[in-house]
């Protein structure tokens, strides 16, 4: 009996070792073209830009660009497939960083300040235009309790959050003092923002406003306050690694309900964007409608099958040439 048990244990250990060795071997063969890296870098920029705009979800932009599933999978499996995950994530993260730093001033002090209505309506157009691509990616073919219930719950949750949580005035900027408690709150805010960023439809910036730390963090970006940014960054890292694993499991085991909830979050986020836009039926409203149509057109084209096929063929051709 003991010999049989030992034999079974050895077989399991051997199988596990072979599996790890195979994963390591495959991971070490990662090769990627410069064109693919550049495309991933460029895709990261709008994701970064979205993450500094309250009401706009970086996760939604990632879904719209067709990189959401792979992004979540790469973060959650970074220990198992370290090299391939790093090769994929670094260009996107660098692009996101460039988007955040380069557009922080432009969006906060120019577009949202002087063209608030048009900017928000443009983002509403982006979200609306991304819905066909999200539906196509989800694999949802027909309505069922497993898709309708998560959709309704997620949509209602987003609207309720928008209605009842109005936090985030710029009063938090003045007189902020970094203490042990505020430092811990910065880390917690980073965790909440990161998990929110991973969920399409939920804006990490909006959650920071709810917590009252949005203007503190964006102010630190402008002044390059490294201590505040470091504490916040630690929280973001914890949130990304932990949150991505949970979302990846949901996508793998409960794809239809998860994507139904994601679509609900995306649609529910439109309420916040429209409420913040201050839309009015005047000349500014006319330009806002034009901005909405433009945003929807950009999203529809960027999420179309035609463009996806073109990019896929281009990537395969580049990889074949590299080989």
């Amino acid at each position: 009996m003991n010999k049989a048990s030992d034999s079974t244990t050895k077989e399991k250990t051997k199988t596990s070792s072979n599996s790890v060795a195979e994963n390591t071997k495959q991971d070490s063969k990662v090769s990627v073209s410069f064109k693919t890296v550049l495309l991933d870098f460029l895709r990261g920029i709008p994701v970064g830009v979205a993450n500094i705009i309250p009401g706009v979800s970086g996760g939604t932009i990632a879904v719209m660009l067709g990189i959401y599933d792979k992004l979540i999978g790469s973060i959650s499996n970074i220990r198992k497939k370290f090299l391939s995950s790093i090769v994929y994530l670094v260009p996107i993260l660098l692009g996101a960083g460039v988007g955040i730093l380069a557009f922080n001033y432009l969006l906060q002090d120019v577009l949202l300040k002087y063209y608030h209505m048009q900017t928000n309506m443009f983002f509403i157009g982006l979200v609306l235009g991304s819905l066909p691509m999200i539906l196509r990616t989800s694999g949802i073919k027909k309505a069922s309790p497993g898709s309708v219930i998560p959709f309704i719950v997620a949509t209602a949750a987003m609207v309720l959050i928008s209605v009842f949580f109005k936090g985030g005035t710029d009063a938090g900027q003045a007189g902020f003092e970094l203490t042990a408690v505020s430092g811990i709150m910065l880390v917690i805010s980073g965790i909440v923002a990161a998990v929110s960023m991973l969920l399409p439809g939920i804006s990490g910036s909006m959650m920071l406003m709810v917590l009252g730390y949005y203007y503190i963090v964006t102010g630190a970006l402008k002044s390059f306050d490294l201590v505040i940014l470091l504490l916040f960054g630690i929280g973001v890292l914890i949130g990304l690694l932990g949150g991505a694993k949970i979302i990846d499991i949901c996508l793998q085991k409960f794809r239809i309900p998860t994507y139904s909830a994601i679509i609900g979050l995306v649609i529910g986020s439109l309420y916040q964007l429209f409420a913040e836009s201050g839309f009015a039926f005047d000349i500014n409203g006319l330009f806002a409608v034009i901005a909405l149509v433009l945003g929807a057109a950009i999203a529809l084209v960027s999420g179309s099958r035609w463009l996806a096929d073109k990019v896929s063929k281009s990537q395969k051709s580049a990889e074949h040439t590299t080989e």
Side-chain angles (χ1 to χ4, degrees), residues 1-14:
M1 184 74 177
N2 289 336
K3 287 182 179 179
S5 177
D6 290 344
S7 176
T8 304
T9 304
K10 286 178 181 178
E11 282 295 322
K12 286 182 179 179
T13 305
K14 186 177 179 181

Side-chain angles (χ1 to χ4, degrees), residues 2 8 34 37 43 83 95 105-106 111 130 138 183 202 256 267:
N2 289 336
T8 304
F34 173 76
V37 172
R43 290 181 183 124
L83 185 58
Y105 170 79
L106 176 64
L111 293 177
S130 71
S138 70
I202 298 185
I256 298 298
I267 292 176

Side-chain angles (χ1 to χ4, degrees), residues 5 15 31 39 54 61-62 67 75 83 97 120 134 140-141 152 162 169 194 202 207 210 217 228 241 252 279 294:
S5 177
T15 303
S31 63
L39 282 171
I61 301 300
I67 62 173
I75 296 172
L83 185 58
N120 276 280
I134 299 174
I140 299 171
K141 302 297 182 185
I152 293 173
S162 301
T169 65
I202 298 185
M207 296 310 295
V210 169
V217 174
I228 290 177
L241 294 175
Q252 296 297 327
F279 180 78
L294 179 62

Side-chain angles (χ1 to χ4, degrees), residues 40-49 89-100:
D40 287 338
F41 173 79
L42 293 174
R43 290 181 183 124
I45 293 176
V47 173
V49 171
L89 289 172
V90 166
I92 292 176
L93 293 176
L94 285 174
V98 168
I100 289 170

